[in-house]
Structure formats: C-alpha cells, structure tokens
Amino acid sequence: MKRWFCVALALCLALSLAACGSEKEPPSSDPESSLATPAPPTPAPMAWVMVSDADDGLNVRSQPSTEGEILGLVDKGDVLPLVKETAENGWYAVTFQGQTAYVSAEFAKTRQVPQEEYNALLRGETPAAPETPTTPT
C-alpha cells in the first residue's frame, strides 16, 4: 500500500510540474516579431521662398521702397530665398546675389521648399521646376 501511495504521489508531482510550464506561450519563431518597430520618418525641414509673379519681370531693390536702387530683375517664375516669410509694408526681404534685397509683395507669391533647395538657392544654384506658389496666412 505504501508503494502505491508513493507512486501515486510521484505521478501527481510530475503532472503538476508539467502543467506549470504549459501556461507560458512558447517563444515566437517569427524573427520580425522580435524587432523593434521603427520610428516614423522625420519630415524634412522646410523653408520659405519667393516666386516672381510679374509678367514683365520683378525689380529687386536695395531698400523696401520704389526709391531703392534696382539691383536686378527676376523673370516670372524665378525663385529667391526669403529672409522673412511674411511681407512688411508690402515688401518681401529676399536674398539676392548674396545680400538682403527687397521685392514688391504685390508681384510675388511664396511657397515652402525643402531646406536643401533653399540652401541651393542661397549658393546661387538653380532649383528644380517650381511648384504652385502659396502665400502664408
């Protein structure tokens, strides 16, 4: 009788230990499930530019006034980097030939471009084809 009791006790203990491990889920064999979820891409930095909207060209001036010296003329669709994204007293401050200059806001639109394109404009490089201009609100 003792022998049967010991066998039953050993069998009960063995079943009890086997049942404890069965509650855990087995490790996944899918290698992708163990990888961390990548962070969403960071949006590219943007900057504002001025796009000439004057049919006969747009004067670039040394001062924000029609009295300012004309430094040059930009054609319709030409793009210049903005110093400030909003016009003051009807004039946009732009970078022209490496210096701050001014164009009439009446004949210009603005849009955002990637920082890389803005930097290329500052270096005097020609940008890709312009997108539809927008004016900030």
Side-chain angles (χ1 to χ4, degrees):
M1 178 84 159
K2 271 187 173 184
R3 183 174 266 193
W4 286 105
F5 180 73
C6 286
V7 170
L9 184 60
L11 185 59
C12 196
L13 182 59
L15 289 174
S16 176
L17 288 175
C20 284
S22 68
E23 292 179 16
K24 295 181 183 176
E25 291 185 30
S28 173
S29 61
D30 181 11
E32 293 197 20
S33 68
S34 63
L35 298 176
T37 303
T42 304
M46 302 293 280
W48 286 96
V49 295
M50 178 283 312
V51 182
S52 172
D53 197 34
D55 291 330
D56 296 325
L58 179 61
N59 287 324
V60 181
R61 296 184 177 269
S62 63
Q63 299 295 319
S65 162
T66 55
E67 301 298 316
E69 175 189 354
I70 297 174
L71 302 174
L73 182 75
V74 292
D75 293 326
K76 184 171 185 163
D78 284 354
V79 179
L80 295 174
L82 283 172
V83 174
K84 295 173 85 176
E85 64 186 66
T86 56
E88 287 186 15
N89 299 319
W91 294 86
Y92 284 115
V94 297
T95 301
F96 181 75
Q97 298 177 344
Q99 63 184 349
T100 299
Y102 301 88
V103 295
S104 172
E106 183 179 347
F107 302 103
K109 302 283 185 196
T110 61
R111 67 177 167 104
Q112 282 190 303
V113 297
Q115 187 69 47
E116 291 175 6
E117 183 178 331
Y118 182 87
N119 292 343
L121 287 166
L122 287 175
R123 292 188 301 268
E125 298 171 10
T126 305
E131 297 174 14
T132 304
T134 59
T135 302
T137 54

